[in-house]
Amino acid sequence: MLRELLLTSRPISWVNTAYPFAAAYLLASGRIDWLWLVGTLFFLIPYNLAMYGINDVFDYESDLLNPRKGGAEGAVVDRSRHRGILLACAVLCVPFLMVLAVAGSWQANLVLLASMAAVFAYSAPRLRFKERPFLDSLTSSTHFVSPALYGLVLAGAHLDVAAVAILLAFFLWGMASHAFGAVQDIVPDRAASLGSIGTVLGAKWTVRFAAAAYLCAGLLLLSTDWPSPLAAALVLPYVANVLPYARLSDEDSAEANTGWRRFLWLNYLTGFLVTMLLIFYILGR
């Protein structure tokens, strides 16, 4: 069961939610304290278990039709384990949420509530935002941007124009990444009668949408204060990663999985470069 929970939580993606919170809180507060530690641990493991665990439980039937599921890109756990997964999500998340709720302001709690609502609404029955084209990409991006916004608000930061521009750029990056990820699932999603941005736009136009969103994110970063414009260059590898699939047919959409796997590792390189940029910024203050 522990192995299944670990697989369900997608360890390769833990950093994608923990890092935005940790970096945002540190930049806003200028310190590493117990609240930073609790928040980082929450967005590292419990948050990911909830996000992906709920998804794996309620996507079980469609995941059986998807050849890329059953490993690092998504667990296919026997139905008899589903109740245990949902229980583990609650048991692991609730203590962290209670501590954060008591320690945070009402504004921070509102952001945290919205973040958890997006996690639930994306996969839960009836709501199923993941099956609502364009809303699926918006919600998925919220999963990764909301920890950063929460870190800022929890630390009492003032959100000026530059901060909003950076968050919007991050949001566009998240939408682009989700859209590109949806391309590889067009065939199995249609077979399971699931809607997504990919099934509506088709492979080539979804890829083009992703490329455009990445470029718009870079342009937004160019409008911010130094040294943030340097981060604009970091969208270029993502654009280069998706453009080879700009003419991909729906029938061959599974070929985009190669680009998606590159995307997963590209995030680690980007995270390293962003860290160097943050160190440069902090030392220069």
Side-chain angles (χ1 to χ4, degrees):
M1 186 64 180
L2 288 176
R3 181 182 177 280
E4 289 175 343
L5 289 174
L6 181 66
L7 187 62
T8 295
S9 69
R10 316 280 208 282
I12 195 173
S13 298
W14 284 359
V15 69
N16 294 338
T17 50
Y19 185 90
F21 168 83
Y25 185 90
L26 177 60
L27 283 174
S29 67
R31 65 182 182 275
I32 293 178
D33 54 18
W34 71 271
L35 202 50
W36 177 91
L37 181 60
V38 171
T40 301
L41 286 175
F42 171 70
F43 286 109
L44 185 71
I45 302 176
Y47 184 81
N48 280 286
L49 178 60
M51 180 164 59
Y52 295 118
I54 294 171
N55 180 263
D56 285 347
V57 167
F58 294 111
D59 278 11
Y60 177 71
E61 286 79 9
S62 60
D63 284 350
L64 289 174
L65 302 175
N66 194 329
R68 75 182 183 91
K69 298 296 184 177
E73 298 181 65
V76 180
V77 182
D78 187 82
R79 197 186 302 273
S80 63
R81 301 287 198 179
H82 289 182
R83 180 173 295 182
I85 290 175
L86 294 178
L87 181 61
C89 292
V91 169
L92 208 57
C93 285
V94 168
F96 282 90
L97 291 172
M98 291 178 64
V99 172
L100 291 171
V102 170
S105 64
W106 70 265
Q107 295 95 330
N109 289 339
L110 189 62
V111 175
L112 185 60
L113 177 63
S115 183
M116 295 308 297
V119 165
F120 183 78
Y122 185 75
S123 302
R126 300 193 180 186
L127 295 172
R128 297 289 290 175
F129 284 9
K130 68 164 293 173
E131 293 187 42
R132 305 178 190 276
F134 298 99
L135 183 58
D136 56 349
S137 290
L138 287 166
T139 309
S140 177
S141 186
T142 300
H143 294 161
F144 303 98
V145 178
S146 60
L149 177 60
Y150 177 66
L152 293 173
V153 177
L154 184 64
H158 170 67
L159 297 181
D160 56 15
V161 175
V164 172
I166 292 172
L167 288 171
L168 285 176
F170 188 15
F171 197 83
L172 286 171
W173 175 90
M175 287 189 65
S177 300
H178 175 273
F180 181 61
V183 172
Q184 61 194 326
D185 292 332
I186 287 176
V187 172
D189 279 353
R190 285 176 176 167
S193 300
L194 299 179
S196 74
I197 188 172
T199 61
V200 169
L201 293 182
K204 63 183 180 182
W205 283 108
T206 306
V207 171
R208 294 169 187 179
F209 169 83
Y214 281 134
L215 288 172
C216 288
L219 291 175
L220 267 175
L221 289 173
L222 287 175
S223 69
T224 58
D225 299 329
W226 184 263
S228 295
L230 291 175
L234 297 179
V235 306
L236 298 179
Y238 290 98
V239 175
N241 185 47
V242 304
L243 282 182
Y245 305 97
R247 296 180 180 274
L248 192 65
S249 67
D250 289 3
E251 293 75 17
D252 297 327
S253 55
E255 294 179 10
N257 180 250
T258 302
W260 179 252
R261 289 177 178 270
R262 280 197 300 266
F263 162 82
L264 294 175
W265 293 109
L266 185 58
N267 287 342
Y268 284 89
L269 173 61
T270 303
F272 168 76
L273 294 174
V274 169
T275 300
M276 296 299 101
L277 188 60
L278 290 176
I279 292 173
F280 174 76
Y281 171 73
I282 291 173
L283 293 177
R285 284 201 298 186

